[in-house]
């Protein structure tokens, strides 16, 4: 795998981790925004599909 390919995958992994952290904050919130939580889940799934 090329260095550029590895960088692309690492960026995607970092982005998914950031999105998971946002989901965690939503879950722990006193007034959770479940619509945003679902949007994040869709973003995560889309990023996984791009890697394939």
């Amino acid at each position: 795998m090329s260095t550029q390919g590895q960088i692309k995958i690492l960026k995607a992994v970092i982005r998914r981790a950031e999105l998971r952290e946002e989901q965690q904050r939503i879950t722990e919130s006193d007034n959770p925004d479940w619509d945003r939580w679902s949007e994040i889940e869709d973003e995560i799934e889309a990023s996984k599909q791009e890697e394939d």
Side-chain angles (χ1 to χ4, degrees), residues 8-48:
K8 183 179 178 181
I9 289 172
L10 287 173
K11 285 182 178 182
V13 168
I14 291 168
R15 177 66 181 141
R16 283 196 301 265
E18 291 169 344
L19 291 169
R20 290 284 185 208
E21 286 178 15
E22 185 177 350
Q23 280 185 316
Q24 186 64 34
R25 286 191 299 273
I26 290 169
T27 302
E28 294 171 351
S29 171
D30 291 337
N31 188 15
D33 181 355
W34 295 114
D35 290 335
R36 176 61 185 143
W37 193 95
S38 294
E39 290 172 5
I40 293 169
E41 194 65 25
D42 292 343
E43 285 183 53
I44 291 169
E45 289 303 315
S47 75
K48 288 179 184 178

Side-chain angles (χ1 to χ4, degrees), residues 1-9:
M1 178 179 290
S2 70
T3 302
Q4 282 187 335
Q6 290 174 331
I7 290 171
K8 183 179 178 181
I9 289 172

